Amino acid sequence: KKMDIVVNDTNIFIDLYSIDLLADFFELPFHIHTVDFVLSEITEQNQVEAWAPFLSNGKLFVKKHSAPEVQQLYEFHLSCKGNVSIPDCAVWQYAQTNNYILLTSDRKLRNNAIATGVSVSGILFVFDKLIECNILSAKEAANKLENLARINNRLPKKEVSERILRWRK
């Protein structure tokens, strides 16, 4: 059975895209969801084109918000503490409502969502799963994570270096 997972923040998508792991990510045994607000943040033409196949083959499910749902979302957003964006609130609320795993690299979103009982994972979870499912070798994962760490300084440095060391053994 596939696990349900919500990909949040555009950051996770962009990170995977920037180290050429987007296609690998969609090979994972997950039902991958996002919301219309997140997708609308992806505006660079080459990135839009990179996502197109996963939208057309159904590997990426996009929750579209109706007018009443947008109204509810704005109310939810107003009630949120800690300066969380509308797209972040949209995936948080979607994950919470459906009891999905929220995938995010955003610390504010992570902490807020966890406080409301949402299961939250990050990019390192994705790397672990790519190895576990034999989509990447440990060595490939180490190289990709090293590349990502060079372009994304928000990653947890200790966990990143521990994994790289372990995967290179």
Side-chain angles (χ1 to χ4, degrees):
K1 183 191 167 300
K2 286 186 164 193
M3 273 170 62
D4 280 307
I5 190 155
V6 172
V7 174
N8 159 35
D9 56 2
T10 323
N11 298 344
I12 293 265
F13 277 149
I14 305 283
D15 280 350
L16 291 167
Y17 170 82
S18 65
I19 53 171
D20 198 27
L21 280 183
L22 204 54
D24 299 285
F25 173 67
F26 282 100
E27 290 304 307
L28 287 169
F30 297 142
H31 290 293
I32 299 169
H33 298 247
T34 193
V35 297
D36 42 13
F37 288 93
V38 165
L39 223 52
S40 68
E41 289 188 316
I42 298 167
T43 52
E44 260 180 60
Q45 192 52 38
N46 53 350
Q47 292 178 2
V48 171
E49 284 163 17
W51 269 267
F54 307 109
L55 289 164
S56 59
N57 68 16
K59 287 196 174 192
L60 177 59
F61 175 80
V62 181
K63 157 74 178 148
K64 292 178 173 61
H65 287 76
S66 66
E69 287 172 327
V70 170
Q71 184 57 46
Q72 279 178 313
L73 179 61
Y74 277 101
E75 285 162 21
F76 179 68
H77 181 250
L78 291 173
S79 75
C80 292
K81 291 182 221 26
N83 194 16
V84 182
S85 73
I86 296 266
D88 285 349
C89 283
V91 283
W92 168 12
Q93 190 179 45
Y94 183 61
Q96 189 177 26
T97 306
N98 296 287
N99 202 23
Y100 293 158
I101 297 168
L102 176 60
L103 206 52
T104 180
S105 304
D106 183 309
R107 189 176 289 129
K108 280 187 300 202
L109 177 58
R110 169 187 291 267
N111 294 341
N112 278 296
I114 288 171
T116 61
V118 175
S119 304
V120 180
S121 292
I123 193 84
L124 296 178
F125 165 85
V126 174
F127 273 94
D128 294 342
K129 291 295 176 192
L130 287 168
I131 293 173
E132 207 177 288
C133 297
N134 297 310
I135 295 168
L136 284 186
S137 70
K139 196 184 212 105
E140 288 170 317
N143 294 339
K144 293 282 189 181
L145 186 53
E146 206 167 57
N147 291 348
L148 183 59
R150 271 197 289 272
I151 53 181
N152 180 346
N153 57 13
R154 298 180 320 271
L155 297 178
K157 289 172 185 41
K158 186 171 172 277
E159 284 97 325
V160 166
S161 48
E162 282 168 0
R163 275 179 174 77
I164 291 172
L165 286 171
R166 187 168 71 237
W167 295 338
R168 288 235 160 99
K169 279 194 181 121

